[in-house]
Amino acid sequence: MSAADIELVDLHKHYRKGRIDIPALDGLSLTIDAGSFVAIMGPSGSGKSTLLHLIGGLDSADSGIIRVGEYRLDRMSERQLTAWRSRHVGFIFQMYHLVPVLTAAQNVELPLLLFRMPARERRKRVATALEVVGLADRMDHRPNQLSGGQEQRVAIARAIVTDPDVILADEPTGDLDARTSQEILQLLSLLNAEFGKTIVMVTHDPRAAAFGQRILHLDKGVLDRDERNPARPAAAAHAH
Amino acid sequence: MALPLVYHWRNVFVRPTTTTLTILVVAAVVGLLGWILGFAAALRGSLAVASDTHKIIVIRRGSTSEGTSALPPAEFNKLSQVTGVARDPQTGRPLVSPEMTVQVALPRKRDAGRTTANVAVRGVDPERAFAVHRNVRLQGPVFATGAQEIIVGVKAAEQFAGLRLGDVVNLGFGNDRGYRVVGYFTADGGPLESEIWGYLPSLMNAYSRNAYSSAALRVAPDEDPQKVIEQIEGPAIQLTAKTEAAYWHEQLRLVRGYLVIVTGLVLIMSVAAVCSIANTMFSAVAGRTREIAMLRTIGFGRGRILVGFVLEAVLLALLGGGLGCGLCLAWLQFVGRTKDMLGASSFTTLAFEIRLTPMIAAVALAAVVLVGALGALVPAWRAARVQAVSALREG
């Protein structure tokens, strides 16, 4: 599957809480190059997670353009977005969100159940994904038999098993200790460097953000700063 | 493809207490439903075999059953005037069977004889009775006309103690005449199987009767039974005549009423089962909001989520259904397959053999699938409407 550029133009998104109007994104424009690793930082309420949800087709903007590769998400119906997500995006959450009653392999297999794919092929892909994250020997373990780091690895395997263009990670290390966080971030870097995945990661942690080639700082729904990370190979990226 | 079955199966057991309670509620409904369907089938079976259209039961005008009817021989003899009655091919005599019915209280087997119930004892002339009651078949010898002997319907033998071969049953006005059981008979599962038969003159003598209770009459195959009934009820004879089907339909009125009441009970319990499943599924959805949000996020559509939760509820209901069928089978096996009920106006016991056939079990399980699906509908709808973004934010 080919990687995709992400283009956001003049995005507006407001939430209503009773009579109060809360702006989450206020005219944000941004381009993220295919195959880059971008970290998004900012204080709570700055619009980081909203931005991630819009790129992932989980939410719709009030106005503006959202393009991921050849797809105009802002023009797609909920049903189309659901189908698109299953093929083009992998999600990684802070709390892993593994299904407790399923084994690691069954959790990783979940996204593949949405495809017409023979069971043999599914098993092969699951095994490969778990091997990539270093958990080939934990296939039959349930989440409660795994450590937090291992659970997040399973979640990463679930995110990559469909070979998506884009991986969206929302505070993927927020619930992990420093050492395990490093391992997870190294794994994400590997997915970016070796497999060419576009990674967009929301984080509060500057040490985690340092793994990105580019660090975007959001504040009050607008792009406050756009930094290139000199410690990582530069990615062709720019903000409007 | 939908979510894997193992996902739903394992989730059913995540909340053991509510799941167990729901399974028990559903099991109770299915157990009772299986029992009632079996009973209804037995009742239908009884009516079906007691629906010989060419057999007519004659009682005194104004009587509602054989038990309350008295038919003096002079009245009975009038029946020989009726045209359209079948005749014995050898003797040429009309096939009319004089019969006397009394009730005797016998100890029930099901509570080891602690309670008794009324059993119909029918005095018959075997030669004529077997020609008229064609579905009655002997298992063993018939009673001897010169001895105090009886034969017992197989359902009566199942229900009551002291009716084994060789047992002596005290009959007669003073309960002082011992009649020995010499054989059994079947009647295609019909009401006659709940009776005891003996020789008519002997029993009339024992009960100091000089009138019969009723007459059973066989209509010739090519004659219209209705015309025969019109003659019997007409001014020349003035007796009451009913086809066997009409007679037993009337006698089973109480049983049908009982079935209606129990069916109502099952319906009320079904509503409770639907509520119980709904409650369990609401808990399941509430406890798995973030999981559902994750599934929505990775591409599972609302339809798949809805179907998944309905399937989970159906699995839960089927577990209860399986247990219910098992309980019903165990009940029938260990407590007894035979249920006795009083006839509407005869006050004698009619026994019904209840069976949980594969078809009845299938119907009960189909009903349980419906109960499960109904119970799951609103919670599953709620699950399908989970807003992924809000649910993930809460996480």
Side-chain angles (χ1 to χ4, degrees):
Chain A
M1 195 175 284
S2 64
D5 282 331
I6 297 168
E7 185 186 14
L8 312 171
V9 181
D10 197 22
L11 276 187
H12 288 266
K13 177 72 183 177
H14 288 227
Y15 293 105
R16 288 200 72 81
K17 206 169 190 178
R19 290 182 178 178
I20 304 166
D21 186 66
I22 304 166
L25 293 178
D26 199 9
L28 181 78
S29 295
L30 182 70
T31 300
I32 296 171
D33 290 339
S36 60
F37 187 158
V38 175
I40 302 175
M41 296 190 73
S44 293
S46 60
K48 308 184 297 293
S49 292
T50 300
L51 176 60
L52 205 68
H53 294 152
L54 291 175
I55 296 171
L58 279 173
D59 206 352
S60 55
D62 298 336
S63 64
I65 295 169
I66 310 168
R67 187 180 62 77
V68 180
E70 60 195 278
Y71 297 93
R72 278 286 297 271
L73 305 195
D74 53 291
R75 289 180 176 170
M76 287 161 75
S77 67
E78 188 191 298
R79 188 184 287 262
Q80 288 170 322
L81 284 172
T82 303
W84 175 81
R85 281 199 303 274
S86 69
R87 291 178 183 277
H88 299 282
V89 193
F91 287 90
I92 302 167
F93 311 96
Q94 179 182 352
M95 300 305 294
Y96 333 129
H97 293 316
L98 297 181
V99 179
V101 297
L102 298 181
T103 63
Q106 287 165 338
N107 266 287
V108 175
E109 191 186 16
L110 279 175
L112 296 178
L113 297 173
L114 296 163
F115 298 86
R116 286 181 190 278
M117 186 182 286
R120 198 174 181 179
E121 173 67 14
R122 288 204 304 271
R123 279 198 295 274
K124 198 172 140 193
R125 283 199 181 210
V126 168
T128 305
L130 282 169
E131 202 169 317
V132 167
V133 300
L135 285 179
D137 58 340
R138 296 282 191 277
M139 288 182 94
D140 298 323
H141 287 58
R142 292 217 198 160
N144 62 1
Q145 297 168 312
L146 300 170
S147 67
Q150 287 172 328
E151 281 193 80
Q152 193 59 295
R153 283 169 185 270
V154 174
I156 292 171
R158 182 180 64 196
I160 61 172
V161 75
T162 54
D163 193 20
D165 312 321
V166 182
I167 292 174
L168 303 177
D170 194 355
E171 301 274 11
T173 58
D175 202 44
L176 301 173
D177 60 49
R179 190 178 149 204
T180 315
S181 295
Q182 289 290 309
E183 289 170 6
I184 293 297
L185 290 162
Q186 276 161 5
L187 181 57
L188 290 177
S189 295
L190 176 89
L191 293 173
N192 171 247
E194 298 292 321
F195 298 94
K197 302 295 175 196
T198 306
I199 295 181
V200 182
M201 175 179 73
V202 164
T203 182
H204 276 106
D205 182 359
R207 284 170 299 182
F211 277 79
Q213 296 151 346
R214 191 176 159 205
I215 304 169
L216 305 175
H217 294 265
L218 262 60
D219 192 20
K220 294 177 183 164
V222 293
L223 188 62
D224 186 42
R225 265 184 298 148
D226 182 357
E227 292 176 345
R228 304 281 174 85
N229 183 357
R232 299 280 159 185
H238 58 276
H240 291 294
Chain B
M1 192 186 286
L3 284 158
L5 204 58
V6 66
Y7 168 77
H8 301 296
W9 178 252
R10 287 183 186 156
N11 267 314
V12 163
F13 299 101
V14 165
R15 289 170 187 76
T17 312
T18 48
T19 294
T20 306
L21 284 173
T22 303
I23 286 174
L24 289 178
V25 170
V26 175
V29 173
V30 173
L32 194 55
L33 182 63
W35 187 89
I36 199 173
L37 288 174
F39 191 5
L43 176 64
R44 274 197 305 276
S46 264
L47 286 172
V49 295
S51 59
D52 184 343
T53 52
H54 278 57
K55 188 162 91 182
I56 286 173
I57 292 165
V58 183
I59 51 180
R60 195 180 65 179
R61 177 165 284 188
S63 297
T64 52
S65 75
E66 292 171 292
T68 57
S69 161
L71 204 62
E75 297 282 317
F76 172 79
N77 290 337
K78 289 181 188 170
L79 293 173
S80 59
Q81 307 165 18
V82 179
T83 56
V85 178
R87 289 182 179 272
D88 186 317
Q90 266 123 46
T91 62
R93 283 203 309 184
L95 295 182
V96 183
S97 165
E99 299 177 357
M100 185 208 78
T101 314
V102 291
Q103 301 148 29
V104 292
L106 290 180
R108 283 185 168 119
K109 269 184 183 175
R110 74 172 183 212
D111 55 7
R114 278 195 294 277
T115 60
T116 59
N118 284 345
V119 184
V121 176
R122 186 181 295 272
V124 295
D125 169 5
E127 217 171 87
R128 288 190 275 184
F130 289 119
V132 175
H133 301 287
R134 286 194 176 155
N135 61 346
V136 174
R137 287 179 195 87
L138 288 167
Q139 289 184 347
V142 71
F143 46 81
T145 52
Q148 291 188 167
E149 292 179 348
I150 48 173
I151 56 173
V152 178
V154 289
K155 276 193 199 143
E158 271 176 30
Q159 282 286 90
F160 297 99
L163 295 179
R164 288 169 305 183
L165 283 179
D167 283 350
V168 173
V169 181
N170 285 327
L171 301 175
F173 198 64
N175 241 9
D176 53 356
R177 301 203 188 181
Y179 282 75
R180 186 176 302 281
V181 178
V182 295
Y184 297 115
F185 65 90
T186 62
D188 289 341
L192 295 179
E193 281 186 6
S194 302
E195 297 184 350
I196 294 171
W197 283 16
Y199 186 48
L200 177 66
S202 169
L203 286 171
M204 285 184 74
N205 185 263
Y207 285 94
S208 304
R209 294 278 180 96
N210 51 17
Y212 308 128
S213 303
S214 61
L217 181 152
R218 176 148 296 281
V219 178
D222 49 352
E223 294 290 339
D224 179 3
Q226 205 48 46
K227 285 189 177 159
V228 175
I229 290 172
E230 282 166 16
Q231 289 179 64
I232 297 169
E233 295 193 332
I237 301 177
Q238 295 191 29
L239 295 172
T240 294
K242 290 176 181 170
T243 60
E244 187 189 36
Y247 179 80
W248 285 112
H249 196 264
E250 171 67 18
Q251 291 306 308
L252 294 172
R253 197 181 66 225
L254 281 184
V255 183
R256 287 198 305 275
Y258 174 80
L259 269 177
V260 167
I261 291 168
V262 183
T263 304
L265 184 67
V266 168
L267 283 177
I268 292 167
M269 287 173 69
S270 300
V271 172
V274 168
C275 293
S276 182
I277 286 177
N279 182 47
T280 305
M281 295 312 294
F282 270 125
S283 308
V285 172
R288 278 150 63 191
T289 308
R290 285 193 290 259
E291 191 175 298
I292 296 163
M294 179 277 292
L295 291 170
R296 294 277 295 120
T297 301
I298 66 173
F300 281 84
R302 294 188 193 283
R304 287 179 205 264
I305 301 284
L306 185 126
V307 169
F309 274 86
V310 170
L311 181 67
E312 200 166 307
V314 167
L315 271 178
L316 178 67
L318 280 173
L319 278 173
L323 179 65
C325 284
L327 287 175
C328 185
L329 276 176
W331 176 273
L332 294 176
Q333 182 69 34
F334 297 110
V335 181
R337 292 176 191 284
T338 319
K339 165 78 180 156
D340 61 58
M341 295 284 297
L342 279 184
S345 51
S346 64
F347 304 108
T348 53
T349 301
L350 300 166
F352 300 91
E353 190 178 0
I354 303 165
R355 285 178 192 279
L356 184 67
T357 61
M359 177 55 84
I360 288 173
V363 170
L365 290 177
V368 108
V369 167
L370 188 69
V371 163
L374 279 176
L377 223 49
V378 178
W381 176 254
R382 185 174 283 185
R385 305 304 299 175
V386 162
Q387 296 297 323
V389 171
S390 340
L392 290 174
R393 275 185 201 282
E394 286 162 17

